[in-house]
Amino acid sequence: MEPKKILVVDDELDFVDAVKARLEAMGYNIIAAHDGQECVAKARKELPSLILLDIVMPKSNGFEALSRLKTDHLTANIPVIVITAKSDSEYILDAGKLGAADYIMKPVSMHTLLDYVRKYA
């Protein structure tokens, strides 16, 4: 059986590298993107099992990417977990309205992140 693909989207390269190393060690195939435009393009091409998506990024933010993902027939059913340092209730509500499966606050422990990945991937 082929490993499940997870798309990790964040402009913080250290965060992406840490998540990638940990999830690959758990047997997942990790694809990285560093802005919203790249996220949508890679999601359409790779069709991952799960997307971990930051909100504050250059070019196209996470909310724009989430909106595009959820209105595209190719990517609409892929669960998206928003992972961000933004704790405002407005951000959480907006993520839910746009179709995010869940919302995780940074900093997040790898143990917690793995629990979410297992739940949705």
Side-chain angles (χ1 to χ4, degrees):
M1 181 153 118
E2 190 174 317
K4 291 186 178 182
K5 290 183 206 175
I6 299 175
L7 176 56
V8 179
V9 187
D10 200 307
D11 60 329
E12 293 179 31
L13 301 183
D14 290 342
F15 179 79
V16 173
D17 289 345
V19 171
K20 183 176 189 212
R22 180 63 179 190
L23 292 179
E24 283 179 343
M26 301 294 295
Y28 294 99
N29 180 5
I30 305 304
I31 305 145
H34 304 292
D35 63 60
Q37 290 176 350
E38 188 180 11
C39 166
V40 173
K42 286 191 174 182
R44 287 181 55 82
K45 179 182 178 193
E46 299 287 342
L47 299 175
S49 300
L50 175 65
I51 299 172
L52 304 177
L53 178 64
D54 187 25
I55 295 297
V56 181
M57 295 181 294
K59 293 186 186 176
S60 175
N61 71 39
F63 284 137
E64 292 165 354
L66 180 58
S67 177
R68 290 179 59 201
L69 291 166
K70 292 304 176 181
T71 57
D72 185 320
H73 74 279
L74 287 176
T75 57
N77 293 322
I78 299 171
V80 177
I81 299 174
V82 170
I83 303 177
T84 186
K86 296 291 185 185
S87 63
D88 302 346
S89 59
E90 182 177 325
Y91 279 86
I92 297 168
L93 291 172
D94 287 347
K97 286 177 189 173
L98 290 171
D102 228 316
Y103 194 99
I104 303 173
M105 294 295 307
K106 286 182 185 175
V108 59
S109 73
M110 280 299 161
H111 178 75
T112 299
L113 183 59
L114 287 172
D115 286 345
Y116 280 89
V117 168
R118 285 185 195 109
K119 179 178 178 181
Y120 292 102

